[in-house]
Amino acid sequence: PGGPDHGRLNRRGAEFTERHRERKIEIMELNDISHEIIGASIEVHREIGPGLLESTYERSLEHEFGLRGLQCQSQVSLPLKYKDLEIPDAYRIDLLVEDSVIVELKTVEALKPIHEAQLLTYLRNADKNLGLLINFHTVLLRDGIKRMVHNLPS
């Protein structure tokens, strides 16, 4: 019931629908991972409290992620390209969870715009879509969590 392009149009529509479905699944997976990271962070904060070194929270989170079955890398060194120059160890991501969510840890009085800018730079340069900025120097950890997105698939 259509012209000679009918089958091709249906195929394109099906391809669009499949891409849209894959993106929705990817977003759902990122949200699930993010939820697990926040839960693990709250557990660590509840157990050991505020006021410790950032490295203590990093090691504790790595352990908690492992207990929860989440794959995690710490102090991931990434290169940066500037024009024709490549800097091999330009920055280090505190934690990379499931090879998809960047977690930047802080133990500061208050999160500042520069911390958000840092995380956005990491997201852009690592080609990741979701990051969490977590400040453990708070009474309630939920007050120290900032979720940030970069080019999240729509």
Side-chain angles (χ1 to χ4, degrees):
D5 289 332
H6 180 72
R8 187 172 40 193
L9 290 175
N10 280 341
R11 241 186 334 277
R12 270 194 232 142
E15 288 169 8
F16 172 80
T17 302
E18 181 61 21
R19 277 195 320 271
H20 182 72
R21 189 182 76 69
E22 288 171 3
R23 286 184 185 134
K24 284 179 77 171
I25 289 170
E26 183 180 340
I27 291 169
M28 287 170 42
E29 288 172 354
L30 286 174
N31 285 335
D32 290 345
I33 295 166
S34 172
H35 181 77
E36 280 294 319
I37 292 168
I38 291 169
S41 300
I42 289 170
E43 176 70 13
V44 166
H45 189 264
R46 184 181 307 134
E47 287 292 318
I48 64 177
L52 304 174
L53 295 174
E54 185 179 306
S55 59
T56 301
Y57 296 109
E58 184 176 310
R59 299 256 333 262
S60 299
L61 270 176
E62 280 184 273
H63 184 70
E64 186 64 30
F65 292 153
L67 293 173
R68 292 171 182 240
L70 292 173
Q71 184 265 335
C72 174
Q73 297 171 273
S74 66
Q75 294 301 310
V76 179
S77 180
L78 291 174
L80 176 72
K81 284 188 177 187
Y82 173 73
K83 297 185 179 182
D84 62 344
L85 172 68
E86 183 163 326
I87 304 167
D89 296 321
Y91 62 103
R92 291 186 190 274
I93 293 172
D94 287 340
L95 299 167
L96 181 60
V97 182
E98 294 292 321
D99 198 38
S100 59
V101 179
I102 294 176
V103 180
E104 183 61 25
L105 304 176
K106 298 293 178 197
T107 54
V108 294
E109 193 66 35
L111 292 175
K112 297 188 176 182
I114 190 65
H115 299 129
E116 295 177 22
Q118 177 188 17
L119 180 55
L120 284 174
T121 296
Y122 289 3
L123 288 169
R124 184 177 59 249
N125 290 330
D127 196 29
K128 302 297 180 194
N129 301 118
L130 182 62
L132 292 168
L133 189 55
I134 303 176
N135 182 18
F136 279 90
H137 193 69
T138 59
V139 175
L140 294 174
L141 189 66
R142 70 171 180 249
D143 296 335
I145 298 174
K146 176 84 176 172
R147 185 177 191 268
M148 303 186 75
V149 298
H150 171 72
N151 289 340
L152 195 65
S154 54

